[in-house]
Amino acid sequence: GAVVSQHPSWVICKSGTSVKIECRSLDFQATTMFWYRQFPKQSLMLMATSNEGSKATYEQGVEKDKFLINHASLTLSTLTVTSAHPEDSSFYICSTGPSTDTQYFGPGTRLTVL
Amino acid sequence: QKEVEQNSGPLSVPEGAIASLNCTYSDRGSQSFFWYRQYSGKSPELIMFIYSNGDKEDGRFTAQLNKASQYVSLLIRDSQPSDSATYLCALRRRDSSYKLIFGSGTRLLVRP
């Protein structure tokens, strides 16, 4: 069964609003979670590394004030897309795992900004 | 030069054939290599990982790693139409972080 869950699976919002996406590890504690974004017919692009109890580490070119990450517990990380615009429409996926060599992806969240 | 390079495909093989998917990488210090399968509209699923030179087999899948030539491949034996998907190659850098760097993926089409 699934070991990583995401919620919601899809969301449609108006431009300028904020959207929160949750990523949960179901069977293990996750001190580190990763957030990816995937545009249609493109590969996954790592956005940031979420660290439990400390600040997230963002990849170059990713605005940390726009993509807020909170990793408040060992089983939950959240990504908030603030003031979303149509160009933020994408497939957002988290990944985590019980070990460095066993990283599982969540089912993804499809965001559409109108 | 991209860190991880894959031919975008599509690679088309008949049902029952062996599908061979290849991936090259630029950083010789890369430590671990992963193959994921992604169906359209879904998130990637881990197939297997490899970190030692040679072959690693898991069911119908065999991963091959050649660090001297900086390539990693995935063989799928007895290909089935349900194997039709995009296959993503990923590596973990030598900087000891857990993050994975992905190639752009190869689309595989298995013809019935």
Side-chain angles (χ1 to χ4, degrees):
Chain A
V3 296
V4 180
S5 70
Q6 272 186 251
H7 178 81
S9 55
W10 59 271
V11 57
I12 300 173
C13 69
K14 291 182 180 180
S15 185
T17 60
S18 294
V19 174
K20 179 186 283 188
I21 302 170
E22 295 185 347
C23 177
R24 293 182 186 272
S25 58
L26 302 179
D27 298 326
F28 53 89
Q29 294 182 329
T31 56
T32 303
M33 291 183 174
F34 300 95
W35 286 98
Y36 293 84
R37 179 168 55 181
Q38 187 177 36
F39 292 106
K41 300 193 178 185
Q42 295 187 25
S43 190
L44 292 110
M45 295 301 297
L46 179 64
M47 298 176 67
T49 303
S50 174
N51 304 298
E52 188 269 334
S54 64
K55 291 182 179 180
T57 305
Y58 290 82
E59 295 299 302
Q60 191 172 10
V62 178
E63 300 175 58
K64 60 182 178 181
D65 293 331
K66 181 171 182 63
F67 299 98
L68 301 179
I69 291 173
N70 184 283
H71 195 151
S73 78
L74 287 171
T75 59
L76 173 65
S77 174
T78 61
L79 168 68
T80 301
V81 183
T82 62
S83 186
H85 288 91
E87 58 265 29
D88 298 322
S89 298
S90 188
F91 191 41
Y92 292 85
I93 317 172
C94 69
S95 80
T96 187
S99 71
T100 57
D101 287 332
T102 312
Q103 292 285 309
Y104 298 105
F105 283 89
T109 298
R110 192 161 301 281
L111 170 64
T112 301
V113 185
L114 302 176
Chain B
Q1 183 183 12
K2 291 182 180 178
E3 275 193 84
V4 183
E5 299 234 34
Q6 292 182 260
N7 188 311
S8 61
L11 172 65
S12 181
V13 300
E15 183 174 355
I18 296 175
S20 177
L21 303 157
N22 300 311
C23 171
T24 59
Y25 60 95
S26 59
D27 185 357
R28 282 191 175 275
S30 301
Q31 296 180 327
S32 305
F33 304 86
F34 304 79
W35 282 101
Y36 285 83
R37 177 174 62 192
Q38 186 176 25
Y39 292 110
S40 181
K42 303 294 185 181
S43 65
E45 306 167 87
L46 178 65
I47 298 173
M48 62 195 306
F49 65 86
I50 185 169
Y51 50 84
S52 297
N53 274 325
D55 295 359
K56 180 180 180 182
E57 188 174 318
D58 184 359
R60 295 187 297 115
F61 300 97
T62 299
Q64 299 175 318
L65 175 60
N66 184 323
K67 290 188 177 181
S69 300
Q70 294 175 238
Y71 83 78
V72 57
S73 61
L74 179 70
L75 302 178
I76 306 175
R77 288 182 297 282
D78 189 24
S79 296
Q80 301 297 310
S82 58
D83 294 326
S84 298
T86 296
Y87 289 79
L88 301 169
C89 172
L91 61 80
R92 174 169 296 116
R93 292 175 176 150
R94 64 177 131 179
D95 62 5
S96 77
S97 69
Y98 293 172
K99 55 187 179 183
L100 298 178
I101 306 301
F102 284 85
S104 56
T106 298
R107 187 167 156 241
L108 173 67
L109 178 63
V110 181
R111 308 187 304 272

